[in-house]
mmCIF file of all heavy atoms in Angstrom:
data_model
loop_
_atom_site.group_PDB
_atom_site.id
_atom_site.type_symbol
_atom_site.label_atom_id
_atom_site.label_comp_id
_atom_site.label_asym_id
_atom_site.label_seq_id
_atom_site.Cartn_x
_atom_site.Cartn_y
_atom_site.Cartn_z
ATOM 1 N N LYS T 1 -5.073 -13.821 6.156
ATOM 2 C CA LYS T 1 -6.158 -13.284 6.883
ATOM 3 C C LYS T 1 -7.409 -14.110 6.742
ATOM 4 O O LYS T 1 -8.231 -14.389 7.672
ATOM 5 C CB LYS T 1 -6.343 -11.863 6.507
ATOM 6 C CG LYS T 1 -5.291 -10.854 6.907
ATOM 7 C CD LYS T 1 -5.759 -9.318 6.842
ATOM 8 C CE LYS T 1 -6.026 -8.928 5.325
ATOM 9 N NZ LYS T 1 -6.333 -7.519 5.268
ATOM 10 N N LEU T 2 -7.657 -14.553 5.451
ATOM 11 C CA LEU T 2 -8.927 -15.255 5.146
ATOM 12 C C LEU T 2 -8.828 -16.773 5.616
ATOM 13 O O LEU T 2 -9.858 -17.226 6.163
ATOM 14 C CB LEU T 2 -9.249 -15.148 3.640
ATOM 15 C CG LEU T 2 -9.508 -13.739 3.173
ATOM 16 C CD1 LEU T 2 -9.691 -13.779 1.733
ATOM 17 C CD2 LEU T 2 -10.880 -13.234 3.819
ATOM 18 N N LEU T 3 -7.767 -17.359 5.304
ATOM 19 C CA LEU T 3 -7.658 -18.853 5.441
ATOM 20 C C LEU T 3 -6.966 -19.374 6.752
ATOM 21 O O LEU T 3 -7.020 -20.576 7.004
ATOM 22 C CB LEU T 3 -7.005 -19.513 4.100
ATOM 23 C CG LEU T 3 -7.706 -19.290 2.927
ATOM 24 C CD1 LEU T 3 -7.024 -19.921 1.757
ATOM 25 C CD2 LEU T 3 -9.219 -19.522 3.055
ATOM 26 N N ALA T 4 -6.203 -18.382 7.338
ATOM 27 C CA ALA T 4 -5.454 -18.944 8.505
ATOM 28 C C ALA T 4 -5.540 -17.664 9.618
ATOM 29 O O ALA T 4 -4.381 -17.066 9.967
ATOM 30 C CB ALA T 4 -3.970 -19.178 8.167
ATOM 31 N N PRO T 5 -6.657 -17.309 10.014
ATOM 32 C CA PRO T 5 -6.808 -16.258 10.919
ATOM 33 C C PRO T 5 -6.197 -16.442 12.318
ATOM 34 O O PRO T 5 -5.846 -15.568 12.998
ATOM 35 C CB PRO T 5 -8.253 -16.004 11.139
ATOM 36 C CG PRO T 5 -8.986 -17.324 10.722
ATOM 37 C CD PRO T 5 -8.051 -17.935 9.783
ATOM 38 N N ASP T 6 -5.817 -17.769 12.630
ATOM 39 C CA ASP T 6 -5.291 -18.073 13.986
ATOM 40 C C ASP T 6 -3.787 -18.406 13.808
ATOM 41 O O ASP T 6 -3.127 -18.836 14.786
ATOM 42 C CB ASP T 6 -5.978 -19.290 14.579
ATOM 43 C CG ASP T 6 -6.026 -20.596 13.618
ATOM 44 O OD1 ASP T 6 -5.601 -20.471 12.458
ATOM 45 O OD2 ASP T 6 -6.341 -21.636 14.100
ATOM 46 N N SER T 7 -3.185 -18.048 12.707
ATOM 47 C CA SER T 7 -1.789 -18.344 12.485
ATOM 48 C C SER T 7 -0.919 -17.432 13.427
ATOM 49 O O SER T 7 -1.279 -16.304 13.796
ATOM 50 C CB SER T 7 -1.364 -17.973 10.975
ATOM 51 O OG SER T 7 -0.037 -17.989 10.868
ATOM 52 N N PHE T 8 0.150 -18.036 13.822
ATOM 53 C CA PHE T 8 1.105 -17.325 14.664
ATOM 54 C C PHE T 8 1.594 -16.123 13.972
ATOM 55 O O PHE T 8 2.041 -15.105 14.654
ATOM 56 C CB PHE T 8 2.411 -18.152 15.022
ATOM 57 C CG PHE T 8 3.212 -18.433 13.767
ATOM 58 C CD1 PHE T 8 4.284 -17.551 13.627
ATOM 59 C CD2 PHE T 8 3.018 -19.444 12.913
ATOM 60 C CE1 PHE T 8 5.117 -17.732 12.467
ATOM 61 C CE2 PHE T 8 3.851 -19.617 11.832
ATOM 62 C CZ PHE T 8 4.972 -18.828 11.564
ATOM 63 N N TYR T 9 1.553 -16.043 12.716
ATOM 64 C CA TYR T 9 2.151 -14.905 11.872
ATOM 65 C C TYR T 9 1.521 -13.614 12.329
ATOM 66 O O TYR T 9 2.298 -12.639 12.288
ATOM 67 C CB TYR T 9 1.964 -15.284 10.335
ATOM 68 C CG TYR T 9 2.474 -14.148 9.377
ATOM 69 C CD1 TYR T 9 3.714 -14.287 9.033
ATOM 70 C CD2 TYR T 9 1.725 -13.118 9.083
ATOM 71 C CE1 TYR T 9 4.221 -13.224 8.185
ATOM 72 C CE2 TYR T 9 2.113 -12.145 8.111
ATOM 73 C CZ TYR T 9 3.549 -12.242 7.675
ATOM 74 O OH TYR T 9 3.967 -11.267 6.931
ATOM 75 N N HIS T 10 0.267 -13.608 12.587
ATOM 76 C CA HIS T 10 -0.435 -12.276 12.923
ATOM 77 C C HIS T 10 0.163 -11.741 14.212
ATOM 78 O O HIS T 10 0.270 -10.449 14.289
ATOM 79 C CB HIS T 10 -1.899 -12.516 12.979
ATOM 80 C CG HIS T 10 -2.535 -13.219 11.872
ATOM 81 N ND1 HIS T 10 -2.480 -12.711 10.548
ATOM 82 C CD2 HIS T 10 -3.080 -14.481 11.610
ATOM 83 C CE1 HIS T 10 -3.094 -13.480 9.751
ATOM 84 N NE2 HIS T 10 -3.421 -14.633 10.276
ATOM 85 N N ASP T 11 0.508 -12.623 15.129
ATOM 86 C CA ASP T 11 1.168 -12.151 16.388
ATOM 87 C C ASP T 11 2.527 -11.628 16.199
ATOM 88 O O ASP T 11 2.865 -10.668 16.773
ATOM 89 C CB ASP T 11 1.033 -13.217 17.441
ATOM 90 C CG ASP T 11 -0.359 -13.627 17.908
ATOM 91 O OD1 ASP T 11 -1.187 -12.689 17.887
ATOM 92 O OD2 ASP T 11 -0.560 -14.799 18.272
ATOM 93 N N TRP T 12 3.134 -12.364 15.309
ATOM 94 C CA TRP T 12 4.603 -12.049 15.169
ATOM 95 C C TRP T 12 4.718 -10.707 14.467
ATOM 96 O O TRP T 12 5.805 -9.960 14.890
ATOM 97 C CB TRP T 12 5.257 -13.046 14.239
ATOM 98 C CG TRP T 12 5.662 -14.347 15.178
ATOM 99 C CD1 TRP T 12 5.083 -14.820 16.218
ATOM 100 C CD2 TRP T 12 6.719 -15.384 14.874
ATOM 101 N NE1 TRP T 12 5.655 -15.935 16.624
ATOM 102 C CE2 TRP T 12 6.717 -16.248 15.771
ATOM 103 C CE3 TRP T 12 7.633 -15.446 13.762
ATOM 104 C CZ2 TRP T 12 7.538 -17.327 15.904
ATOM 105 C CZ3 TRP T 12 8.496 -16.471 13.888
ATOM 106 C CH2 TRP T 12 8.526 -17.442 14.810
ATOM 107 N N ILE T 13 3.921 -10.365 13.508
ATOM 108 C CA ILE T 13 4.029 -9.046 12.887
ATOM 109 C C ILE T 13 3.665 -7.897 13.868
ATOM 110 O O ILE T 13 4.081 -6.774 13.630
ATOM 111 C CB ILE T 13 3.453 -8.968 11.489
ATOM 112 C CG1 ILE T 13 3.993 -7.999 10.646
ATOM 113 C CG2 ILE T 13 1.952 -8.980 11.637
ATOM 114 C CD1 ILE T 13 3.666 -8.175 9.097
ATOM 115 N N GLU T 14 2.639 -8.204 14.605
ATOM 116 C CA GLU T 14 2.055 -7.185 15.549
ATOM 117 C C GLU T 14 3.056 -6.852 16.662
ATOM 118 O O GLU T 14 3.318 -5.800 17.151
ATOM 119 C CB GLU T 14 0.721 -7.489 16.083
ATOM 120 C CG GLU T 14 -0.319 -7.567 15.165
ATOM 121 C CD GLU T 14 -0.673 -6.090 14.645
ATOM 122 O OE1 GLU T 14 -0.453 -5.270 15.510
ATOM 123 O OE2 GLU T 14 -0.975 -5.921 13.503
ATOM 124 N N GLU T 15 3.772 -7.834 17.140
ATOM 125 C CA GLU T 15 4.705 -7.830 18.258
ATOM 126 C C GLU T 15 6.075 -7.388 17.682
ATOM 127 O O GLU T 15 7.066 -8.183 17.644
ATOM 128 C CB GLU T 15 4.776 -9.050 19.053
ATOM 129 C CG GLU T 15 3.578 -9.552 19.799
ATOM 130 C CD GLU T 15 3.292 -8.700 21.061
ATOM 131 O OE1 GLU T 15 4.376 -7.957 21.532
ATOM 132 O OE2 GLU T 15 2.140 -8.604 21.613
ATOM 133 N N ASN T 16 6.237 -6.236 17.336
ATOM 134 C CA ASN T 16 7.439 -5.770 16.497
ATOM 135 C C ASN T 16 8.560 -5.185 17.359
ATOM 136 O O ASN T 16 9.451 -4.671 16.734
ATOM 137 C CB ASN T 16 7.046 -4.838 15.375
ATOM 138 C CG ASN T 16 6.263 -3.699 15.913
ATOM 139 O OD1 ASN T 16 6.422 -3.231 17.013
ATOM 140 N ND2 ASN T 16 5.359 -3.075 15.003
ATOM 141 N N GLN T 17 8.333 -5.288 18.613
ATOM 142 C CA GLN T 17 9.503 -4.960 19.580
ATOM 143 C C GLN T 17 9.740 -5.946 20.620
ATOM 144 O O GLN T 17 8.791 -6.831 20.841
ATOM 145 C CB GLN T 17 9.010 -3.565 20.288
ATOM 146 C CG GLN T 17 8.728 -2.386 19.461
ATOM 147 C CD GLN T 17 10.041 -1.879 18.766
ATOM 148 O OE1 GLN T 17 11.179 -1.889 19.270
ATOM 149 N NE2 GLN T 17 9.803 -1.468 17.413
ATOM 150 N N PRO T 18 10.886 -5.991 21.127
ATOM 151 C CA PRO T 18 11.167 -7.025 22.182
ATOM 152 C C PRO T 18 10.205 -6.836 23.382
ATOM 153 O O PRO T 18 9.903 -5.709 23.724
ATOM 154 C CB PRO T 18 12.631 -6.690 22.604
ATOM 155 C CG PRO T 18 13.247 -6.032 21.554
ATOM 156 C CD PRO T 18 12.130 -5.222 20.834
ATOM 157 N N SER T 19 9.557 -7.881 23.832
ATOM 158 C CA SER T 19 8.498 -7.776 24.879
ATOM 159 C C SER T 19 8.468 -9.105 25.553
ATOM 160 O O SER T 19 9.098 -10.035 25.260
ATOM 161 C CB SER T 19 7.100 -7.444 24.131
ATOM 162 O OG SER T 19 6.794 -8.490 23.296
ATOM 163 N N ASP T 20 7.556 -9.063 26.620
ATOM 164 C CA ASP T 20 7.312 -10.316 27.420
ATOM 165 C C ASP T 20 6.667 -11.494 26.433
ATOM 166 O O ASP T 20 6.972 -12.588 26.758
ATOM 167 C CB ASP T 20 6.352 -10.040 28.514
ATOM 168 C CG ASP T 20 6.997 -9.225 29.675
ATOM 169 O OD1 ASP T 20 8.272 -9.075 29.684
ATOM 170 O OD2 ASP T 20 6.178 -8.638 30.445
ATOM 171 N N TYR T 21 6.055 -10.980 25.303
ATOM 172 C CA TYR T 21 5.536 -12.027 24.511
ATOM 173 C C TYR T 21 6.616 -12.932 23.934
ATOM 174 O O TYR T 21 6.625 -14.138 24.025
ATOM 175 C CB TYR T 21 4.859 -11.345 23.276
ATOM 176 C CG TYR T 21 4.503 -12.423 22.181
ATOM 177 C CD1 TYR T 21 3.307 -13.037 22.138
ATOM 178 C CD2 TYR T 21 5.413 -12.472 21.065
ATOM 179 C CE1 TYR T 21 2.966 -13.953 21.155
ATOM 180 C CE2 TYR T 21 5.070 -13.382 20.068
ATOM 181 C CZ TYR T 21 3.872 -14.169 20.070
ATOM 182 O OH TYR T 21 3.599 -15.047 19.130
ATOM 183 N N TRP T 22 7.769 -12.286 23.554
ATOM 184 C CA TRP T 22 8.903 -12.929 22.921
ATOM 185 C C TRP T 22 9.731 -13.722 24.045
ATOM 186 O O TRP T 22 10.218 -14.856 23.881
ATOM 187 C CB TRP T 22 9.853 -12.105 22.220
ATOM 188 C CG TRP T 22 9.139 -11.476 20.992
ATOM 189 C CD1 TRP T 22 8.754 -10.277 20.818
ATOM 190 C CD2 TRP T 22 8.854 -12.140 19.808
ATOM 191 N NE1 TRP T 22 8.074 -9.958 19.639
ATOM 192 C CE2 TRP T 22 8.172 -11.298 18.923
ATOM 193 C CE3 TRP T 22 9.015 -13.477 19.336
ATOM 194 C CZ2 TRP T 22 7.762 -11.594 17.626
ATOM 195 C CZ3 TRP T 22 8.581 -13.822 18.035
ATOM 196 C CH2 TRP T 22 7.975 -12.811 17.183
ATOM 197 N N LYS T 23 9.823 -13.023 25.251
ATOM 198 C CA LYS T 23 10.545 -13.617 26.359
ATOM 199 C C LYS T 23 9.857 -15.058 26.739
ATOM 200 O O LYS T 23 10.422 -16.024 26.950
ATOM 201 C CB LYS T 23 10.700 -12.579 27.488
ATOM 202 C CG LYS T 23 11.417 -13.234 28.758
ATOM 203 C CD LYS T 23 11.534 -12.157 29.826
ATOM 204 C CE LYS T 23 12.239 -12.672 31.013
ATOM 205 N NZ LYS T 23 12.311 -11.780 32.135
ATOM 206 N N ASN T 24 8.562 -14.915 26.897
ATOM 207 C CA ASN T 24 7.813 -16.085 27.360
ATOM 208 C C ASN T 24 7.753 -17.164 26.348
ATOM 209 O O ASN T 24 7.694 -18.374 26.652
ATOM 210 C CB ASN T 24 6.418 -15.655 27.768
ATOM 211 C CG ASN T 24 6.369 -14.730 28.901
ATOM 212 O OD1 ASN T 24 7.215 -14.749 29.736
ATOM 213 N ND2 ASN T 24 5.257 -13.913 28.889
ATOM 214 N N LEU T 25 7.848 -16.793 24.908
ATOM 215 C CA LEU T 25 7.778 -17.831 23.953
ATOM 216 C C LEU T 25 9.125 -18.484 23.727
ATOM 217 O O LEU T 25 9.172 -19.628 23.326
ATOM 218 C CB LEU T 25 7.238 -17.115 22.619
ATOM 219 C CG LEU T 25 6.928 -18.186 21.595
ATOM 220 C CD1 LEU T 25 5.677 -18.983 21.879
ATOM 221 C CD2 LEU T 25 6.479 -17.306 20.255
ATOM 222 N N SER T 26 10.229 -17.733 23.865
ATOM 223 C CA SER T 26 11.618 -18.386 23.748
ATOM 224 C C SER T 26 11.911 -19.350 24.775
ATOM 225 O O SER T 26 11.554 -19.149 25.929
ATOM 226 C CB SER T 26 12.601 -17.264 23.739
ATOM 227 O OG SER T 26 12.357 -16.247 22.696
ATOM 228 N N PRO T 27 12.778 -20.341 24.409
ATOM 229 C CA PRO T 27 13.138 -21.328 25.344
ATOM 230 C C PRO T 27 14.202 -20.792 26.394
ATOM 231 O O PRO T 27 15.009 -19.971 25.970
ATOM 232 C CB PRO T 27 13.903 -22.432 24.492
ATOM 233 C CG PRO T 27 14.161 -21.760 23.306
ATOM 234 C CD PRO T 27 13.124 -20.638 23.094
ATOM 235 N N ASN T 28 14.112 -21.106 27.645
ATOM 236 C CA ASN T 28 14.924 -20.542 28.742
ATOM 237 C C ASN T 28 15.977 -21.686 29.061
ATOM 238 O O ASN T 28 15.708 -22.647 29.652
ATOM 239 C CB ASN T 28 14.102 -20.155 29.963
ATOM 240 C CG ASN T 28 14.865 -19.571 30.988
ATOM 241 O OD1 ASN T 28 16.190 -19.613 30.949
ATOM 242 N ND2 ASN T 28 14.218 -18.965 31.973
ATOM 243 N N LEU T 29 17.208 -21.407 28.681
ATOM 244 C CA LEU T 29 18.259 -22.399 28.944
ATOM 245 C C LEU T 29 19.138 -21.992 30.099
ATOM 246 O O LEU T 29 20.221 -22.669 30.270
ATOM 247 C CB LEU T 29 19.109 -22.496 27.703
ATOM 248 C CG LEU T 29 18.304 -22.887 26.291
ATOM 249 C CD1 LEU T 29 19.295 -23.011 25.176
ATOM 250 C CD2 LEU T 29 17.572 -24.214 26.569
ATOM 251 N N ASP T 30 18.700 -21.131 30.857
ATOM 252 C CA ASP T 30 19.478 -20.549 32.108
ATOM 253 C C ASP T 30 19.998 -21.729 32.988
ATOM 254 O O ASP T 30 21.136 -21.583 33.467
ATOM 255 C CB ASP T 30 18.813 -19.523 32.801
ATOM 256 C CG ASP T 30 18.690 -18.222 32.074
ATOM 257 O OD1 ASP T 30 19.348 -18.085 30.970
ATOM 258 O OD2 ASP T 30 17.890 -17.298 32.517
ATOM 259 N N ASN T 31 19.178 -22.703 33.178
ATOM 260 C CA ASN T 31 19.515 -23.676 34.165
ATOM 261 C C ASN T 31 19.878 -25.053 33.511
ATOM 262 O O ASN T 31 20.059 -26.096 34.087
ATOM 263 C CB ASN T 31 18.375 -23.982 35.132
ATOM 264 C CG ASN T 31 17.994 -22.695 35.995
ATOM 265 O OD1 ASN T 31 18.869 -22.089 36.507
ATOM 266 N ND2 ASN T 31 16.717 -22.482 36.065
ATOM 267 N N VAL T 32 20.085 -25.025 32.263
ATOM 268 C CA VAL T 32 20.356 -26.177 31.467
ATOM 269 C C VAL T 32 21.879 -26.385 31.546
ATOM 270 O O VAL T 32 22.737 -25.515 31.177
ATOM 271 C CB VAL T 32 19.929 -26.142 29.977
ATOM 272 C CG1 VAL T 32 20.433 -27.324 29.167
ATOM 273 C CG2 VAL T 32 18.466 -25.976 30.002
ATOM 274 N N ASP T 33 22.400 -27.667 31.951
ATOM 275 C CA ASP T 33 23.670 -28.047 31.961
ATOM 276 C C ASP T 33 23.985 -29.407 31.156
ATOM 277 O O ASP T 33 23.857 -30.468 31.919
ATOM 278 C CB ASP T 33 24.195 -28.243 33.412
ATOM 279 C CG ASP T 33 25.667 -28.497 33.522
ATOM 280 O OD1 ASP T 33 26.343 -28.365 32.503
ATOM 281 O OD2 ASP T 33 26.075 -28.919 34.627
ATOM 282 N N LEU T 34 24.016 -29.323 29.907
ATOM 283 C CA LEU T 34 24.030 -30.515 29.108
ATOM 284 C C LEU T 34 25.063 -30.248 28.020
ATOM 285 O O LEU T 34 25.414 -29.102 27.651
ATOM 286 C CB LEU T 34 22.725 -30.704 28.273
ATOM 287 C CG LEU T 34 21.533 -31.287 28.934
ATOM 288 C CD1 LEU T 34 20.348 -31.353 27.998
ATOM 289 C CD2 LEU T 34 21.875 -32.723 29.439
#
C-alpha cells in the first residue's frame, strides 16, 4: 500500500469474481492455429 500503490496486486484482490476485467486481461487464443 505504501511503496507500490500502482501494483497490479491491488486490482487482483479487489476483482475477486470472474468479470470483464479478467476476460480482457487474459490472452485470447480462439483464432490461433499454431
Side-chain angles (χ1 to χ4, degrees):
K1 289 197 293 184
L2 293 174
L3 301 182
D6 57 348
S7 171
F8 73 92
Y9 181 87
H10 307 297
D11 293 330
W12 279 27
I13 201 165
E14 288 294 327
E15 295 286 344
N16 54 28
Q17 299 293 326
S19 65
D20 286 343
Y21 171 86
W22 296 106
K23 181 180 179 181
N24 294 335
L25 192 62
S26 297
N28 184 347
L29 303 181
D30 289 349
N31 296 317
V32 174
D33 184 15
L34 284 177

